[in-house]
Amino acid sequence: MADSELERRHEQAFEQWLKRVEGELGWEVVQSGRVDWIRDVYHEHGDLPAHRFARIAFERKARSVLDVLLPLAGSIERETDLRIDTRPEFIHPSTDFPGGIVTVAGSAIQSFDPVGVLAEVADAIQTYLADRYGRLWPLCPEHGTGLHAITHEGEALWWCKAKDHPSIRILLG
C-alpha cells in the first residue's frame, strides 16, 4: 500500500475520531484554534475515549492560561498602575462539565491554541479593568479609541475596530 493511501486512511481515521470526540463532549475543538496539537495527541495516543482526550485538552488550556496570565497581568499593572486580581478558576472535566472550564476574571477561555489563549486572557483582563475600575484600556495610539484583543495571522493583537487596523501586538512582560 502506498504511503499516500496510508496517510489518507490515517487522516480519515483522525477526522472520524475527532468528530466522535467532539460529539461526545458537546464542543468543537477545531473552532477554537489550530488542530496540529490534536493531530499530535491522536498520533501519540491513538483512538482515545472522549473523557481521556478532554483531560489532555483541559490540561493544555490550563497550562496556556497560567503561562500568559501572570506576565500579562504584570505588564498591564505597570502600564496602568491598577492592581489586577485575576486568579484563574478551574473546573476539571466531569460528568457535569465534560470538557472542564477555565475562567479568568469570570470569562471562560475557549481556545486551546496558545495564541488564542493569550488574546482571550487579554480580553478578559480588559473587561475586568472596565468593570472594576471603569478604565478603558488599551487605547489606540493613533485614534484614542478602545482596542479589542484578537488573533490575526498567528499573532495575538490589539485591534482598532474604529478604523479596522491592527494596532499593537499583545506582549507578555
Side-chain angles (χ1 to χ4, degrees):
M1 191 179 299
D3 283 344
S4 63
E5 178 64 19
L6 282 174
E7 290 171 5
R8 187 183 63 74
R9 285 186 179 185
H10 183 76
E11 184 63 21
Q12 285 177 334
F14 166 73
E15 289 172 9
Q16 289 171 349
W17 168 78
L18 182 58
K19 186 175 184 176
R20 178 180 53 80
V21 165
E22 287 179 329
E24 289 178 26
L25 295 175
W27 37 275
E28 294 185 35
V29 181
V30 175
Q31 288 192 351
S32 64
R34 297 181 6 217
V35 297
D36 297 346
W37 71 273
I38 304 167
R39 200 171 263 106
D40 291 344
V41 168
Y42 181 77
H43 180 72
E44 186 175 327
H45 299 283
D47 193 346
L48 281 173
H51 72 278
R52 286 199 44 222
F53 174 74
R55 285 198 304 262
I56 292 169
F58 175 83
E59 291 300 323
R60 176 186 172 87
K61 183 185 299 188
R63 222 177 10 261
S64 292
V65 166
L66 292 171
D67 286 348
V68 302
L69 183 58
L70 290 178
L72 184 59
S75 173
I76 293 168
E77 285 179 6
R78 283 188 298 280
E79 289 180 35
T80 64
D81 290 326
L82 297 174
R83 173 88 173 101
I84 310 289
D85 183 19
T86 55
R87 284 173 244 133
E89 293 184 15
F90 304 101
I91 299 174
H92 292 268
S94 65
T95 304
D96 293 335
F97 303 102
I101 300 172
V102 178
T103 62
V104 172
S107 296
I109 305 303
Q110 301 298 319
S111 185
F112 295 93
D113 179 60
V115 172
V117 167
L118 176 56
E120 288 186 46
V121 170
D123 183 67
I125 292 174
Q126 181 186 51
T127 300
Y128 171 85
L129 289 173
D131 291 348
R132 168 112 181 170
Y133 297 105
R135 177 82 179 261
L136 183 59
W137 179 93
L139 298 176
C140 177
E142 193 175 333
H143 303 106
T145 59
L147 297 172
H148 300 272
I150 66 159
T151 58
H152 180 71
E153 297 179 357
E155 289 189 298
L157 300 172
W158 290 112
W159 193 272
C160 177
K161 288 190 177 179
K163 297 295 180 178
D164 197 30
H165 69 91
S167 184
I168 51 177
R169 287 180 47 215
I170 300 173
L171 300 174
L172 299 176

